Amino acid sequence: MMQTKFGVLLVNLGTPEAPTTPAVKRFLAEFLSDIRVVDTNRLIWWPILQGVILPFRSPRVSKLYKSVWMDEGSPLMVYSKRQQKALADRFPDTPVELAMSYGKPSLEDAIGRLLERGVTKMVVLPLYPQYSCSTSASVFDGVARVLKAQRRLPSISFIRDYAEHPAYIAALKASILESFEKHGMPDRLVLSFHGIPNRFVNEGDDYQQRCQATTQALSTALQLPAGKIMLTFQSRFGREPWLTPFTDETMKGLPAQGVKHIQIVCPGFSSDCLETIEEINGENRELFLHAGGEKFEYIDALNDRPDHIDMMEQLVSQHFQP
């Protein structure tokens, strides 16, 4: 009987290699070329992407990356590497690799390293708590594409999402309560998730339901009064309708409703990144305060908190069976 050799593949979205216009342009070109992300007809999309979006968006986005860049690199990469190391420390006899759907380290390289170490069962953990066709399914596509070139395939356990996993909810609860202890009870706790087009949901993507499931589970765990917690969606792109309510419009409107103190967390992001640090703790902070809000606190993503690594350990180890 063949002995099972386990391996773990953590996958996040990706990030530019540097906060420069050329690096951002390369990253955006790869990201926005994925049909899971933008499914517009290629004959229509390519001219728009190459002729309009990349030339005009890349310089602006590179400036935003410069504003959040850490000494060790992009925040998403820094925290993802810390997560990988922390999880590898929990499994000293099991290889744990990190890959990005776009950019480096690539899925090809990470899976190649696992196979070189004799892995016969690969546990794939996309670092997206709530499933979406534009994120988790894209990881599935990428893994399948890499393995398509292999003669000998490993067994695969693909973790679809963990929107309601008890350890995930417990880690979120702990981080939020720490913020409450430090800053006081807010008038409103806002849960901001990355948005997707309404059309994706209408065509079967259950992402919105998974975000609602996380919100409900967290509301129950925190035992907050009715109306104290709310769900919003951020980072919309393009002209077609996206999931609402929008985070930025919510920030503009809350002070007029008497909400002067908010705390905001982004449960759909496993690592802090441009969308949490600059968009939420920068742009949306300014929107709220300019509209008359008085106190705005951003609650960090779970990053490499020990309780977040506990959750990853639980998720992965459930699949460590021959």
Side-chain angles (χ1 to χ4, degrees):
M1 180 180 294
M2 182 177 69
Q3 186 174 2
T4 302
K5 171 72 173 178
F6 294 100
V8 178
L9 179 66
L10 300 179
V11 188
N12 212 325
L13 185 85
T15 179
E17 295 183 70
T20 63
T21 296
V24 169
K25 187 174 182 180
R26 287 194 299 272
F27 171 71
L28 290 178
E30 185 179 3
F31 173 50
L32 297 175
S33 295
D34 188 344
I35 201 164
R36 286 285 196 180
V37 177
V38 180
D39 61 354
T40 304
N41 183 291
R42 300 293 95 172
L43 293 176
I44 298 173
W45 179 239
W46 283 121
I48 297 173
L49 177 62
Q50 298 296 332
V52 180
I53 293 176
L54 294 179
F56 290 97
R57 190 175 178 85
S58 300
R60 183 176 67 83
V61 174
S62 68
K63 292 179 182 178
L64 299 179
Y65 270 106
K66 286 178 184 177
S67 72
V68 304
W69 211 257
M70 301 168 69
D71 292 341
E72 303 162 74
S74 166
L76 182 140
M77 184 64 72
V78 170
Y79 291 121
S80 295
K81 285 182 175 179
R82 291 179 186 176
Q83 291 167 347
Q84 175 199 10
K85 183 182 184 303
L87 188 61
D89 289 344
R90 304 286 183 96
F91 299 114
D93 299 321
T94 301
V96 178
E97 290 288 344
L98 171 68
M100 298 292 165
S101 290
Y102 318 102
K104 298 178 180 179
S106 68
L107 282 164
E108 289 84 353
D109 290 345
I111 292 174
R113 286 190 290 270
L114 289 175
L115 297 180
E116 286 171 4
R117 294 187 62 177
V119 166
T120 61
K121 183 171 183 180
M122 184 169 63
V123 182
V124 182
L125 175 55
L127 294 170
Y128 307 115
Q130 295 78 25
Y131 169 88
S132 172
C133 65
S134 59
T135 53
S136 306
S138 182
V139 173
F140 188 93
D141 292 346
V143 171
R145 184 182 65 251
V146 172
L147 293 179
K148 188 176 181 179
Q150 297 292 324
R151 293 293 185 189
R152 183 174 180 177
L153 299 182
S155 298
I156 299 174
S157 289
F158 187 89
I159 300 174
R160 183 183 187 270
D161 82 356
Y162 47 95
E164 301 169 271
H165 193 284
Y168 165 63
I169 299 301
L172 285 174
K173 175 184 176 181
S175 70
I176 292 168
L177 290 180
E178 288 168 12
S179 182
F180 288 177
E181 178 69 22
K182 182 177 180 180
H183 301 290
M185 179 66 71
D187 299 327
R188 196 71 52 85
L189 173 66
V190 179
L191 274 54
S192 180
F193 295 84
H194 200 292
I196 62 171
N198 289 346
R199 178 169 52 83
F200 287 8
V201 174
N202 295 337
E203 292 171 353
D205 192 328
D206 63 339
Y207 175 72
Q208 184 178 30
Q209 296 175 28
R210 303 306 287 152
C211 294
Q212 291 168 344
T214 296
T215 302
Q216 181 57 55
L218 191 54
S219 180
T220 299
L222 289 168
Q223 296 183 316
L224 292 176
K228 275 280 189 178
I229 188 170
M230 66 181 303
L231 177 157
T232 63
F233 295 98
Q234 65 182 86
S235 311
R236 62 191 182 277
F237 174 80
R239 296 181 177 180
E240 70 175 309
W242 279 47
L243 295 178
T244 57
F246 298 136
T247 303
D248 55 359
E249 296 300 329
T250 300
M251 294 302 104
K252 296 174 186 177
L254 282 177
Q257 301 171 29
V259 177
K260 300 297 185 179
H261 176 197
I262 69 164
Q263 294 180 35
I264 186 166
V265 65
C266 300
F269 294 86
S270 61
S271 302
D272 274 312
C273 56
L274 186 69
E275 285 81 1
T276 63
I277 301 171
E278 195 283 327
E279 182 181 353
I280 295 301
N281 201 26
E283 293 178 26
N284 280 272
R285 171 190 294 274
E286 290 300 318
L287 290 174
F288 179 72
L289 296 177
H290 182 74
E294 297 173 359
K295 291 182 66 178
F296 179 108
E297 281 97 29
Y298 168 65
I299 302 171
D300 291 344
L302 294 177
N303 294 323
D304 58 336
R305 287 173 56 106
D307 49 9
H308 194 205
I309 307 304
D310 290 343
M311 181 217 70
M312 293 184 189
E313 181 181 6
Q314 290 183 36
L315 277 175
V316 168
S317 60
Q318 291 171 0
H319 297 270
F320 280 6
Q321 297 178 3

